[in-house]
Coordinates of all heavy atoms in Angstrom, one line a residue:
Chain D
M296 N -24.9 62.7 9.2 CA -23.6 62.0 8.7 C -24.2 60.8 7.9 O -24.8 60.0 8.4 CB -22.7 61.7 9.8 CG -21.4 61.0 9.2 SD -20.1 60.9 10.5 CE -19.0 59.8 9.8
L297 N -23.8 60.8 6.5 CA -24.1 59.6 5.7 C -23.0 58.7 5.7 O -21.8 59.1 5.4 CB -24.5 60.2 4.2 CG -25.4 61.3 4.1 CD1 -25.5 61.7 2.6 CD2 -26.8 61.2 4.8
L298 N -23.3 57.4 5.8 CA -22.3 56.3 5.6 C -22.7 55.6 4.3 O -23.7 55.1 4.2 CB -22.1 55.4 6.8 CG -21.9 56.0 8.1 CD1 -21.7 54.9 9.1 CD2 -20.7 57.0 8.0
V299 N -21.8 55.7 3.3 CA -22.2 55.3 2.0 C -21.3 54.3 1.3 O -20.1 54.2 1.7 CB -22.4 56.5 1.0 CG1 -23.3 57.5 1.6 CG2 -21.1 57.1 0.6
T300 N -21.9 53.4 0.5 CA -21.1 52.5 -0.4 C -20.3 53.2 -1.5 O -20.6 54.4 -1.8 CB -21.9 51.5 -1.0 OG1 -23.0 52.1 -1.7 CG2 -22.6 50.5 0.1
G301 N -19.4 52.6 -2.1 CA -18.7 53.1 -3.3 C -17.3 53.8 -3.1 O -16.9 54.7 -3.8
S302 N -16.7 53.2 -2.1 CA -15.3 53.8 -1.8 C -14.3 53.5 -2.9 O -13.3 54.2 -3.0 CB -14.7 53.3 -0.4 OG -14.6 51.8 -0.6
Q303 N -14.7 52.7 -3.8 CA -13.6 52.4 -4.9 C -14.1 53.0 -6.2 O -13.6 52.7 -7.3 CB -13.6 50.9 -5.0 CG -13.1 50.1 -3.8 CD -11.7 50.6 -3.4 OE1 -10.8 50.7 -4.2 NE2 -11.5 51.0 -2.1
G304 N -15.0 54.0 -6.0 CA -15.4 54.7 -7.3 C -16.3 54.0 -8.2 O -16.5 54.3 -9.3
E305 N -17.0 52.9 -7.7 CA -18.0 52.2 -8.5 C -19.0 53.1 -9.0 O -19.6 53.9 -8.3 CB -18.6 51.0 -7.6 CG -17.6 50.1 -7.1 CD -17.2 50.4 -5.6 OE1 -17.0 51.7 -5.4 OE2 -16.9 49.6 -4.8
R306 N -19.3 53.0 -10.3 CA -20.1 54.0 -11.0 C -21.6 54.0 -10.4 O -22.3 55.0 -10.5 CB -20.2 53.7 -12.4 CG -19.0 54.4 -13.2 CD -19.2 54.0 -14.7 NE -17.9 54.3 -15.4 CZ -17.7 55.5 -16.0 NH1 -18.5 56.4 -15.9 NH2 -16.5 55.8 -16.5
R307 N -22.0 52.8 -10.0 CA -23.6 52.7 -9.6 C -23.7 52.9 -8.1 O -24.8 52.9 -7.5 CB -24.0 51.5 -10.0 CG -24.2 51.4 -11.6 CD -24.7 50.0 -11.9 NE -24.5 49.8 -13.4 CZ -24.7 48.7 -14.0 NH1 -25.1 47.6 -13.4 NH2 -24.5 48.6 -15.3
A308 N -22.6 53.0 -7.3 CA -22.8 53.0 -5.9 C -23.3 54.4 -5.4 O -23.2 55.4 -6.1 CB -21.4 52.6 -5.3
A309 N -23.6 54.5 -4.2 CA -24.0 55.7 -3.6 C -23.2 56.8 -3.7 O -23.5 58.0 -4.0 CB -24.6 55.6 -2.0
S310 N -21.9 56.6 -3.5 CA -20.9 57.7 -3.6 C -21.0 58.4 -5.0 O -21.0 59.5 -5.1 CB -19.4 57.2 -3.4 OG -19.2 56.9 -2.1
A311 N -20.9 57.5 -6.0 CA -20.9 58.1 -7.3 C -22.2 58.9 -7.7 O -22.2 59.9 -8.2 CB -20.7 57.0 -8.4
Q312 N -23.3 58.3 -7.1 CA -24.6 58.9 -7.4 C -24.6 60.2 -6.7 O -25.2 61.3 -7.3 CB -25.8 58.1 -7.0 CG -25.8 56.8 -7.9 CD -27.1 56.1 -7.9 OE1 -28.2 56.6 -8.0 NE2 -27.1 54.8 -7.8
L313 N -24.2 60.3 -5.4 CA -24.1 61.7 -4.7 C -23.2 62.6 -5.4 O -23.5 63.8 -5.4 CB -23.7 61.4 -3.3 CG -24.7 60.9 -2.3 CD1 -24.1 60.3 -1.0 CD2 -25.7 62.0 -2.0
A314 N -22.2 62.1 -6.0 CA -21.2 63.1 -6.7 C -21.9 63.6 -8.0 O -21.6 64.8 -8.3 CB -19.9 62.3 -7.0
R315 N -22.7 62.8 -8.6 CA -23.3 63.4 -9.8 C -24.5 64.1 -9.6 O -24.9 65.1 -10.4 CB -23.8 62.0 -10.7 CG -22.5 61.4 -11.4 CD -23.0 60.4 -12.5 NE -23.9 59.4 -11.9 CZ -23.5 58.1 -11.7 NH1 -22.3 57.8 -11.9 NH2 -24.4 57.2 -11.2
G316 N -25.4 63.8 -8.5 CA -26.6 64.5 -8.3 C -27.2 63.9 -7.0 O -26.5 63.9 -6.0
K317 N -28.5 63.7 -7.1 CA -29.1 63.2 -5.8 C -29.1 61.8 -5.7 O -29.0 61.1 -6.5 CB -30.7 63.6 -5.9 CG -31.0 65.1 -5.8 CD -32.4 65.4 -5.6 CE -32.7 66.9 -5.5 NZ -34.1 67.2 -5.3
Y318 N -29.2 61.4 -4.4 CA -29.4 60.0 -4.0 C -30.4 59.8 -2.9 O -30.3 60.5 -1.8 CB -28.1 59.4 -3.7 CG -28.0 57.9 -3.5 CD1 -28.1 57.0 -4.5 CD2 -28.1 57.4 -2.1 CE1 -28.2 55.6 -4.3 CE2 -28.2 56.0 -1.9 CZ -28.3 55.1 -3.0 OH -28.4 53.7 -2.9
Q319 N -31.5 59.2 -3.2 CA -32.5 59.1 -2.2 C -33.0 60.5 -1.7 O -33.2 60.6 -0.5 CB -32.2 58.2 -1.1 CG -32.0 56.7 -1.6 CD -32.1 55.7 -0.6 OE1 -32.2 55.9 0.7 NE2 -31.8 54.4 -1.0
G320 N -33.0 61.3 -2.5 CA -33.5 62.8 -2.1 C -32.5 63.6 -1.4 O -32.7 64.8 -1.1
L321 N -31.3 63.0 -1.3 CA -30.2 63.8 -0.5 C -29.3 64.4 -1.6 O -28.9 63.6 -2.5 CB -29.5 62.9 0.4 CG -30.3 62.5 1.6 CD1 -29.7 61.2 2.3 CD2 -30.6 63.6 2.6
E322 N -28.9 65.6 -1.4 CA -28.0 66.2 -2.4 C -26.9 67.0 -1.7 O -27.1 67.7 -0.7 CB -28.8 67.2 -3.2 CG -28.0 67.8 -4.5 CD -28.9 68.5 -5.4 OE1 -30.1 68.7 -5.1 OE2 -28.4 68.7 -6.5
L323 N -25.7 66.9 -2.2 CA -24.5 67.6 -1.6 C -24.5 69.0 -2.1 O -24.8 69.3 -3.2 CB -23.2 66.8 -1.8 CG -23.3 65.5 -1.3 CD1 -21.8 64.7 -1.4 CD2 -23.6 65.5 0.2
K324 N -23.9 69.8 -1.3 CA -23.7 71.3 -1.6 C -22.4 71.8 -1.3 O -21.7 71.2 -0.4 CB -24.8 72.1 -0.8 CG -26.2 71.9 -1.2 CD -27.1 73.0 -0.4 CE -28.5 72.9 -0.7 NZ -29.3 73.5 0.4
E325 N -22.1 73.0 -1.6 CA -20.9 73.8 -1.2 C -20.9 73.8 0.3 O -21.8 74.0 1.0 CB -21.1 75.2 -1.7 CG -20.1 76.2 -1.3 CD -19.0 76.4 -2.3 OE1 -19.4 76.5 -3.6 OE2 -17.9 76.6 -2.0
G326 N -19.7 73.4 0.8 CA -19.4 73.5 2.2 C -19.6 72.1 2.9 O -19.3 72.0 4.0
D327 N -20.1 71.1 2.1 CA -20.2 69.7 2.8 C -18.8 69.1 2.7 O -17.9 69.5 2.1 CB -21.2 68.9 1.9 CG -22.7 69.3 2.1 OD1 -22.9 70.1 3.1 OD2 -23.5 69.1 1.3
L328 N -18.8 68.0 3.5 CA -17.4 67.3 3.6 C -17.6 65.8 3.3 O -18.7 65.2 3.7 CB -17.0 67.4 5.1 CG -15.7 66.6 5.4 CD1 -14.6 67.3 4.9 CD2 -15.6 66.3 6.8
F329 N -16.8 65.3 2.4 CA -16.8 63.9 2.0 C -15.5 63.2 2.4 O -14.5 63.7 1.9 CB -17.1 63.9 0.5 CG -17.5 62.5 0.0 CD1 -18.7 62.3 -0.4 CD2 -16.6 61.4 -0.1 CE1 -19.2 61.1 -0.9 CE2 -17.0 60.2 -0.5 CZ -18.3 60.0 -0.9
L330 N -15.6 62.2 3.2 CA -14.4 61.5 3.6 C -14.3 60.1 3.0 O -15.2 59.2 3.1 CB -14.5 61.3 5.2 CG -13.5 60.4 5.8 CD1 -12.0 61.0 5.7 CD2 -13.8 60.2 7.4
F331 N -13.1 59.9 2.5 CA -12.8 58.5 1.9 C -12.1 57.8 3.1 O -10.9 58.1 3.3 CB -12.0 58.5 0.6 CG -12.7 58.8 -0.6 CD1 -13.0 60.0 -1.1 CD2 -13.2 57.7 -1.3 CE1 -13.7 60.3 -2.1 CE2 -13.9 58.0 -2.5 CZ -14.2 59.3 -2.9
S332 N -12.7 56.9 3.9 CA -12.0 56.3 5.0 C -11.6 55.0 4.4 O -12.2 53.9 4.8 CB -13.0 56.1 6.2 OG -12.4 55.4 7.2
S333 N -10.8 54.9 3.5 CA -10.6 53.7 2.7 C -9.2 53.8 1.9 O -8.6 54.9 1.8 CB -11.6 53.5 1.7 OG -11.9 54.7 0.9
K334 N -8.7 52.7 1.5 CA -7.5 52.7 0.6 C -8.0 52.3 -0.9 O -8.9 51.6 -0.9 CB -6.6 51.6 1.1 CG -5.4 51.4 0.1 CD -4.5 50.2 0.7 CE -3.4 49.8 -0.3 NZ -3.9 48.9 -1.4
T335 N -7.5 53.0 -1.8 CA -7.9 52.8 -3.1 C -7.3 51.5 -3.7 O -6.0 51.5 -3.6 CB -7.8 53.9 -4.1 OG1 -8.4 55.1 -3.6 CG2 -8.3 53.7 -5.5
I336 N -8.0 50.5 -4.1 CA -7.3 49.3 -4.5 C -6.7 49.5 -6.1 O -7.4 50.3 -6.7 CB -8.5 48.2 -4.7 CG1 -8.9 47.9 -3.3 CG2 -7.9 46.9 -5.5 CD1 -10.0 46.8 -3.3
P337 N -5.5 49.1 -6.2 CA -4.9 49.4 -7.4 C -5.8 49.0 -8.7 O -6.3 48.1 -8.7 CB -3.7 48.5 -7.5 CG -3.3 48.4 -6.1 CD -4.7 48.3 -5.3
G338 N -5.8 50.0 -9.5 CA -6.7 49.8 -10.7 C -7.9 50.6 -10.6 O -8.7 50.9 -11.6
N339 N -8.3 51.1 -9.3 CA -9.6 51.8 -9.2 C -9.3 53.3 -9.0 O -10.3 54.1 -8.9 CB -10.3 51.3 -7.9 CG -10.8 49.9 -8.0 OD1 -10.8 49.4 -9.1 ND2 -11.1 49.3 -6.9
E340 N -8.1 53.7 -9.2 CA -7.7 55.2 -8.9 C -8.6 56.1 -9.8 O -9.1 57.1 -9.4 CB -6.3 55.4 -9.1 CG -5.4 54.9 -8.1 CD -5.1 53.3 -8.3 OE1 -5.7 52.7 -9.2 OE2 -4.4 52.8 -7.4
R341 N -8.7 55.8 -11.1 CA -9.4 56.6 -12.0 C -10.9 56.9 -11.6 O -11.3 58.0 -11.6 CB -9.3 56.3 -13.5 CG -8.0 56.6 -14.0 CD -7.8 56.4 -15.4 NE -6.5 55.9 -15.9 CZ -5.9 56.4 -16.8 NH1 -6.3 57.4 -17.7 NH2 -4.6 56.0 -17.1

Side-chain angles (χ1 to χ4, degrees):
Chain D
M296 178 166 170
L297 316 179
L298 305 187
V299 307
T300 53
S302 64
Q303 299 302 310
E305 303 93 325
R306 276 175 192 273
R307 290 178 196 171
S310 286
Q312 296 200 43
L313 280 169
R315 286 195 299 260
K317 285 192 184 183
Y318 186 77
Q319 298 197 2
L321 295 164
E322 187 167 14
L323 299 185
K324 281 191 190 162
E325 176 96 34
D327 290 341
L328 175 77
F329 196 108
L330 171 65
F331 282 86
S332 180
S333 52
K334 173 180 172 280
T335 304
I336 292 175
N339 295 344
E340 286 79 2
R341 286 192 208 225

